[in-house]
Amino acid sequence: MDSQSCVKITNEWDIVAARQLGRNVAKELGFGTVDQARITTAISELARNIYLYAGTGQICIEKLLDAGKKGVRIIALDEGPGITDIRKVMEDGYSTSGGLGAGLPGVKRLMDEFNVDSVPGEGTDIRATKWLR
């Protein structure tokens, strides 16, 4: 079961649409309300980063079935400026927008698997997975 749905991120309403899609998929897969909230919070952070730093991009929600395990993968893709220092942005408290700096480190804590691939000048690909317990 590898099905994927995407929301193009161009404005703040798209962030809401991506959150809703993620919540619906998580609910459909059987995630409880706490994990649904974790997943939608992660989507919100990733979509907001696309909107703030890249301008446009997309959030894809992928249903996973691996050896009987169910899960959801969030894929955040953009062709923005990229991240020059991934290690730095993964530090708690680091912020380039004046926020709390909980963004990517927070997403990593909320999810079970997390990977960032970014090329300065080309864009960023972030994948975060949550498995149903």
Side-chain angles (χ1 to χ4, degrees):
M1 169 185 24
D2 256 10
S3 68
Q4 187 182 88
S5 301
C6 299
V7 175
K8 187 172 168 99
I9 306 298
T10 59
N11 61 55
E12 292 194 16
W13 289 108
D14 297 331
I15 298 169
V16 175
R19 282 177 55 93
Q20 192 58 50
L21 172 64
R23 183 178 301 280
N24 290 345
V25 169
K27 194 175 197 176
E28 180 185 319
L29 288 171
F31 283 95
T33 54
V34 172
D35 276 340
Q36 287 176 37
R38 287 181 176 121
I39 291 164
T40 57
T41 300
I43 291 167
S44 191
E45 284 291 335
L46 294 171
R48 186 159 304 286
N49 281 353
I50 289 171
Y51 176 67
L52 289 175
Y53 301 112
T56 63
Q58 64 180 352
I59 295 286
C60 296
I61 311 295
E62 189 174 27
K63 296 177 194 174
L64 302 173
L65 184 58
D66 183 26
K69 284 184 2 181
K70 287 184 187 177
V72 63
R73 177 176 295 131
I74 305 162
I75 304 166
L77 299 168
D78 70 64
E79 294 178 3
I83 301 169
T84 54
D85 189 347
I86 292 173
R87 203 173 74 235
K88 186 84 172 159
V89 301
M90 292 307 296
E91 291 176 8
D92 279 316
Y94 177 78
S95 173
T96 56
S97 65
L100 296 176
L104 293 183
V107 171
K108 184 176 182 178
R109 282 191 296 275
L110 290 169
M111 303 297 282
D112 297 322
E113 298 171 13
F114 180 84
N115 185 62
V116 180
D117 184 26
S118 189
V119 177
E122 292 183 23
T124 302
D125 177 339
I126 299 175
R127 293 167 189 257
T129 304
K130 188 75 166 169
W131 293 103
L132 184 63
R133 301 197 195 314

